[in-house]
Amino acid sequence: MTSLEFHRHLNLQAKGVAERDAILANPGFCDFMTDHMVDICWSEKGGWHRPRIQPYGPIELDPAAAVLHYGQEIFEGLKAYRHADGSIWTFRPDANARRFQASAARMSLPELPVEYFLESLKALISVDGDWVPSEPDTSLYLRPFMFGKEAFLGVRPAKKIAFYVIAGPAGPYFTGGVAPVNIWLSENYSRAGKGGTGAAKTGGNYAASLIAQNEAYANGCQQVLFLDSTTNTFIEELGGMNVVLVYKDGSLVTPLSDSILPGITRDSVLVLAEELGHKVTRRPVTIQEWREGAESGEIVEAFACGTAAMVTPIGQIKAKDFTIGSADAVAGELTLSLRAALADIQYGRSEDTHGWMYRLDG
Ligand code: PLP
Ligand code: COI
């Protein structure tokens, strides 16, 4: 496969150094976006074509574009980390590229070659590398996405597709940093069903989660936990993160389900845990098991994990009729050590023995 030759149209209104540095000093989570974006077109006839780097800005769409009506859209999320020597790296982007292909297949979108995915990230960093912050726990969040832009209201896969990469500097996703987060148990709403799109990173899953996420906020929680839609008993995942439970014998358990997103953070953290000698099991887990396990002392820690959230301790699970965990829960020891081990690899502070890091600059 030949590599892409990006046409460069630089942003003449790019932010100045002082303005950018002020944003990087206090980035929030993508409260600001960088100066450029990557854009590649696909058509049934021409395949992938017209790779461009252009100024970040509004996208012009025909009002009949497929994505606006039928939600034919997928995305990815990964981060660029600045290492102490100034170099810029990302974490397992090949895994994101492959998951992007799997999401595309599920949503009847064309598969972007892994090489094109990687080259697009590098292309954006080649113009916006100065936007990668260097403060502890900060990064540049990279958001590749693809959607049907063909103007046609019949229901069938679009024949014209757009792929973009945008990016925004990010601090911790949760404002409390590594303080435990409280989670609302959604009993009325499901995120995904059997045979549905739960394992794809597609906007509709997140749209479906918003009503439950609002319930979470109304109940003083930062995220929502979904159960399986068939029996309403097995835990699946949070609105934007996977879940891992830690048992008192040091073993880790995470839900096995084909309607949850196969998280790359979760996979990586579980590899690290196994290497530290912890037993790791992927199996169906009921909310009842979590409730009883927490009460009996069998389950001693729980954490959320994802690119945005990293590894974040879970404090309480709140449901309509019960609560798991105590209000003064502190971050678990294993949770914190796995978070640190992962961060050390991502920020280049420890050796990357797995070949997970991928250089984006230079
Ligand atoms: N589950 C959902 C619904 C997510 O949105 C995310 C975040 O991307 C994850 C899990 C974790 O995936 P990853 O670790 O690959 O970011
Ligand atoms: C990510 O972690 O990349 C996500 O897509 C989740 C979202 C909460 C930002």
Side-chain angles (χ1 to χ4, degrees):
M1 183 153 305
T2 54
S3 64
L4 297 171
E5 281 194 25
F6 288 88
H7 173 79
R8 275 175 176 235
H9 170 193
L10 293 183
N11 188 348
L12 298 177
Q13 262 109 46
K15 296 214 168 34
V17 178
E19 196 180 348
R20 189 180 61 224
D21 284 353
I23 292 170
L24 296 188
N26 192 10
F29 182 80
C30 297
D31 291 350
F32 299 87
M33 305 306 285
T34 65
D35 296 313
H36 298 89
M37 58 190 188
V38 159
D39 164 12
I40 311 178
C41 301
W42 181 90
S43 66
E44 203 175 50
K45 284 198 190 119
W48 295 104
H49 62 278
R50 216 176 61 171
R52 288 183 295 184
I53 295 170
Q54 51 174 326
Y56 182 91
I59 296 171
E60 192 169 294
L61 274 186
D62 190 295
V67 66
L68 299 177
H69 303 270
Y70 308 127
Q72 201 190 1
E73 186 269 356
I74 57 169
F75 66 97
E76 267 305 325
L78 58 171
K79 286 173 169 174
Y81 306 91
R82 190 173 298 280
H83 288 188
D85 65 358
S87 58
I88 300 171
W89 301 73
T90 191
F91 183 72
R92 302 187 69 182
D94 52 317
N96 291 90
R98 284 195 306 274
R99 189 171 67 186
F100 199 56
Q101 291 183 328
S103 298
R106 179 64 184 85
M107 301 307 291
S108 302
L109 286 161
E111 289 182 19
L112 183 78
V114 170
E115 274 313 306
Y116 287 5
F117 186 97
L118 301 177
E119 286 173 26
S120 299
L121 302 179
K122 286 178 128 178
L124 190 58
I125 290 299
S126 75
V127 285
D128 283 344
D130 287 343
W131 280 90
V132 182
S134 51
E135 291 301 311
D137 293 333
T138 63
S139 58
L140 182 68
Y141 185 77
L142 305 166
R143 172 54 66 88
F145 61 105
M146 186 197 290
F147 57 86
K149 70 173 172 191
E150 186 191 0
F152 175 69
L153 291 186
V155 181
R156 58 143 173 78
K159 295 180 181 173
K160 286 187 183 158
I161 305 296
F163 169 73
Y164 285 83
V165 187
I166 57 173
Y173 187 74
F174 295 112
T175 46
V178 71
V181 292
N182 291 339
I183 310 286
W184 175 250
L185 179 68
S186 176
E187 292 173 88
N188 296 332
Y189 304 109
S190 301
R191 171 185 173 275
K194 192 168 162 17
T197 58
K201 207 160 167 61
T202 181
N205 293 338
Y206 297 79
S209 77
L210 297 178
I211 190 167
Q213 180 65 44
N214 266 349
E215 273 189 4
Y217 290 139
N219 286 280
C221 296
Q222 292 96 322
Q223 273 279 307
V224 58
L225 171 65
F226 290 101
L227 299 174
D228 78 289
S229 65
T230 311
T231 68
N232 230 26
T233 53
F234 294 99
I235 61 170
E236 294 241 294
E237 64 178 329
L238 309 185
M241 289 138 220
N242 292 120
V243 170
V244 177
L245 304 178
V246 182
Y247 288 67
K248 74 167 185 254
D249 65 357
S251 61
L252 290 88
V253 175
T254 191
L256 180 70
S257 157
D258 54 15
S259 51
I260 66 181
L261 192 77
I264 295 158
T265 314
R266 177 176 72 156
D267 182 70
S268 312
V269 162
L270 294 179
V271 166
L272 297 178
E274 266 176 334
E275 287 171 1
L276 290 169
H278 297 269
K279 184 171 168 240
V280 169
T281 314
R282 294 166 179 81
R283 62 165 170 84
V285 188
T286 62
I287 187 70
Q288 192 62 17
E289 173 177 344
W290 191 345
R291 194 177 167 186
E292 288 170 5
E295 268 165 27
S296 69
E298 188 63 23
I299 295 174
V300 291
E301 297 180 31
F303 61 85
C305 51
T307 298
M310 264 281 276
V311 174
T312 301
I314 293 177
Q316 285 184 307
I317 300 288
K318 295 187 188 177
K320 271 200 298 286
D321 301 325
F322 63 91
T323 300
I324 302 177
S326 71
D328 51 7
V330 293
E333 214 174 291
L334 185 60
T335 300
L336 290 181
S337 71
L338 290 173
R339 179 185 167 97
L342 182 65
D344 284 348
I345 296 172
Q346 291 173 332
Y347 286 93
R349 295 185 294 254
S350 67
E351 198 191 338
D352 171 26
T353 56
H354 307 88
W356 281 341
M357 300 309 291
Y358 180 86
R359 188 153 183 187
L360 290 176
D361 64 328

Short mmCIF file of all heavy atoms in Angstrom, two decimals, residues 42 48 98 100-102 104-106 109-114 116 146:
data_model
loop_
_atom_site.label_atom_id
_atom_site.label_comp_id
_atom_site.label_asym_id
_atom_site.label_seq_id
_atom_site.Cartn_x
_atom_site.Cartn_y
_atom_site.Cartn_z
N TRP A 42 -13.54 9.26 0.93
CA TRP A 42 -13.70 7.93 0.34
C TRP A 42 -14.96 7.93 -0.52
O TRP A 42 -15.98 8.52 -0.13
CB TRP A 42 -13.85 6.85 1.42
CG TRP A 42 -13.99 5.44 0.88
CD1 TRP A 42 -12.99 4.56 0.63
CD2 TRP A 42 -15.21 4.77 0.52
NE1 TRP A 42 -13.49 3.38 0.14
CE2 TRP A 42 -14.85 3.49 0.06
CE3 TRP A 42 -16.56 5.14 0.53
CZ2 TRP A 42 -15.80 2.55 -0.37
CZ3 TRP A 42 -17.51 4.21 0.10
CH2 TRP A 42 -17.13 2.93 -0.35
N TRP A 48 -10.07 5.58 -1.15
CA TRP A 48 -9.54 6.66 -0.30
C TRP A 48 -8.80 7.65 -1.17
O TRP A 48 -7.94 7.27 -1.96
CB TRP A 48 -8.61 6.10 0.78
CG TRP A 48 -9.36 5.23 1.72
CD1 TRP A 48 -9.36 3.86 1.78
CD2 TRP A 48 -10.27 5.67 2.73
NE1 TRP A 48 -10.22 3.42 2.76
CE2 TRP A 48 -10.79 4.52 3.36
CE3 TRP A 48 -10.73 6.92 3.17
CZ2 TRP A 48 -11.72 4.57 4.40
CZ3 TRP A 48 -11.65 6.98 4.20
CH2 TRP A 48 -12.13 5.82 4.80
N ARG A 98 -7.27 -1.01 14.32
CA ARG A 98 -8.01 -2.25 14.04
C ARG A 98 -9.42 -2.18 14.61
O ARG A 98 -10.38 -2.67 14.00
CB ARG A 98 -7.24 -3.46 14.61
CG ARG A 98 -6.03 -3.83 13.75
CD ARG A 98 -5.50 -5.21 14.11
NE ARG A 98 -5.22 -5.32 15.54
CZ ARG A 98 -4.07 -4.97 16.11
NH1 ARG A 98 -3.09 -4.50 15.36
NH2 ARG A 98 -3.89 -5.09 17.40
N PHE A 100 -11.09 0.52 14.86
CA PHE A 100 -11.79 1.42 13.93
C PHE A 100 -12.30 0.63 12.72
O PHE A 100 -13.41 0.85 12.24
CB PHE A 100 -10.80 2.51 13.50
CG PHE A 100 -11.42 3.76 12.93
CD1 PHE A 100 -12.36 4.49 13.65
CD2 PHE A 100 -11.04 4.23 11.68
CE1 PHE A 100 -12.90 5.67 13.13
CE2 PHE A 100 -11.57 5.40 11.16
CZ PHE A 100 -12.51 6.12 11.88
N GLN A 101 -11.48 -0.33 12.28
CA GLN A 101 -11.92 -1.17 11.15
C GLN A 101 -13.10 -2.04 11.55
O GLN A 101 -14.06 -2.22 10.78
CB GLN A 101 -10.77 -2.06 10.67
CG GLN A 101 -9.64 -1.27 10.00
CD GLN A 101 -8.55 -2.16 9.47
OE1 GLN A 101 -8.27 -3.23 10.04
NE2 GLN A 101 -7.91 -1.73 8.40
N ALA A 102 -13.04 -2.57 12.78
CA ALA A 102 -14.14 -3.43 13.24
C ALA A 102 -15.43 -2.61 13.39
O ALA A 102 -16.52 -3.05 13.01
CB ALA A 102 -13.77 -4.08 14.58
N ALA A 104 -16.09 0.07 11.69
CA ALA A 104 -16.52 0.40 10.33
C ALA A 104 -17.31 -0.76 9.73
O ALA A 104 -18.38 -0.56 9.15
CB ALA A 104 -15.29 0.72 9.46
N ALA A 105 -16.80 -1.97 9.92
CA ALA A 105 -17.48 -3.13 9.35
C ALA A 105 -18.90 -3.24 9.92
O ALA A 105 -19.86 -3.48 9.20
CB ALA A 105 -16.68 -4.40 9.64
N ARG A 106 -19.04 -3.00 11.22
CA ARG A 106 -20.36 -3.12 11.85
C ARG A 106 -21.33 -2.04 11.36
O ARG A 106 -22.54 -2.26 11.26
CB ARG A 106 -20.21 -3.03 13.39
CG ARG A 106 -21.52 -3.10 14.15
CD ARG A 106 -22.21 -4.44 13.95
NE ARG A 106 -23.51 -4.52 14.59
CZ ARG A 106 -24.66 -4.09 14.05
NH1 ARG A 106 -24.64 -3.54 12.85
NH2 ARG A 106 -25.80 -4.22 14.69
N LEU A 109 -19.38 0.93 6.98
CA LEU A 109 -18.49 2.00 6.49
C LEU A 109 -17.25 1.32 5.91
O LEU A 109 -16.93 0.18 6.27
CB LEU A 109 -18.10 2.92 7.65
CG LEU A 109 -19.20 3.87 8.15
CD1 LEU A 109 -18.88 4.40 9.55
CD2 LEU A 109 -19.39 5.03 7.18
N PRO A 110 -16.51 2.00 5.03
CA PRO A 110 -15.30 1.38 4.47
C PRO A 110 -14.20 1.28 5.53
O PRO A 110 -14.13 2.11 6.43
CB PRO A 110 -14.89 2.36 3.37
CG PRO A 110 -15.48 3.67 3.79
CD PRO A 110 -16.75 3.36 4.53
N GLU A 111 -13.37 0.23 5.43
CA GLU A 111 -12.29 0.07 6.40
C GLU A 111 -11.09 0.92 5.99
O GLU A 111 -10.59 0.78 4.88
CB GLU A 111 -11.90 -1.40 6.52
CG GLU A 111 -12.98 -2.20 7.21
CD GLU A 111 -12.64 -3.66 7.39
OE1 GLU A 111 -11.45 -4.01 7.31
OE2 GLU A 111 -13.58 -4.45 7.61
N LEU A 112 -10.66 1.77 6.90
CA LEU A 112 -9.47 2.59 6.64
C LEU A 112 -8.25 1.71 6.90
O LEU A 112 -8.13 1.13 7.99
CB LEU A 112 -9.47 3.79 7.59
CG LEU A 112 -8.33 4.78 7.40
CD1 LEU A 112 -8.61 5.68 6.20
CD2 LEU A 112 -8.15 5.65 8.65
N PRO A 113 -7.32 1.60 5.94
CA PRO A 113 -6.12 0.78 6.19
C PRO A 113 -5.39 1.27 7.46
O PRO A 113 -5.32 2.48 7.71
CB PRO A 113 -5.26 1.00 4.94
CG PRO A 113 -6.25 1.40 3.88
CD PRO A 113 -7.33 2.15 4.58
N VAL A 114 -4.85 0.32 8.22
CA VAL A 114 -4.14 0.66 9.46
C VAL A 114 -3.06 1.70 9.18
O VAL A 114 -2.89 2.67 9.93
CB VAL A 114 -3.54 -0.62 10.09
CG1 VAL A 114 -2.60 -0.27 11.25
CG2 VAL A 114 -4.64 -1.56 10.55
N TYR A 116 -2.94 4.04 6.94
CA TYR A 116 -3.52 5.37 6.72
C TYR A 116 -3.92 6.00 8.06
O TYR A 116 -3.78 7.22 8.27
CB TYR A 116 -4.76 5.29 5.82
CG TYR A 116 -4.46 5.03 4.36
CD1 TYR A 116 -3.16 4.77 3.91
CD2 TYR A 116 -5.49 5.04 3.42
CE1 TYR A 116 -2.90 4.53 2.58
CE2 TYR A 116 -5.24 4.80 2.07
CZ TYR A 116 -3.94 4.54 1.66
OH TYR A 116 -3.70 4.30 0.33
N MET A 146 -15.25 9.02 11.36
CA MET A 146 -15.64 8.76 9.97
C MET A 146 -17.16 8.76 9.89
O MET A 146 -17.82 8.29 10.81
CB MET A 146 -15.12 7.38 9.58
CG MET A 146 -15.31 7.01 8.12
SD MET A 146 -15.13 5.23 7.85
CE MET A 146 -13.40 4.98 8.12
#
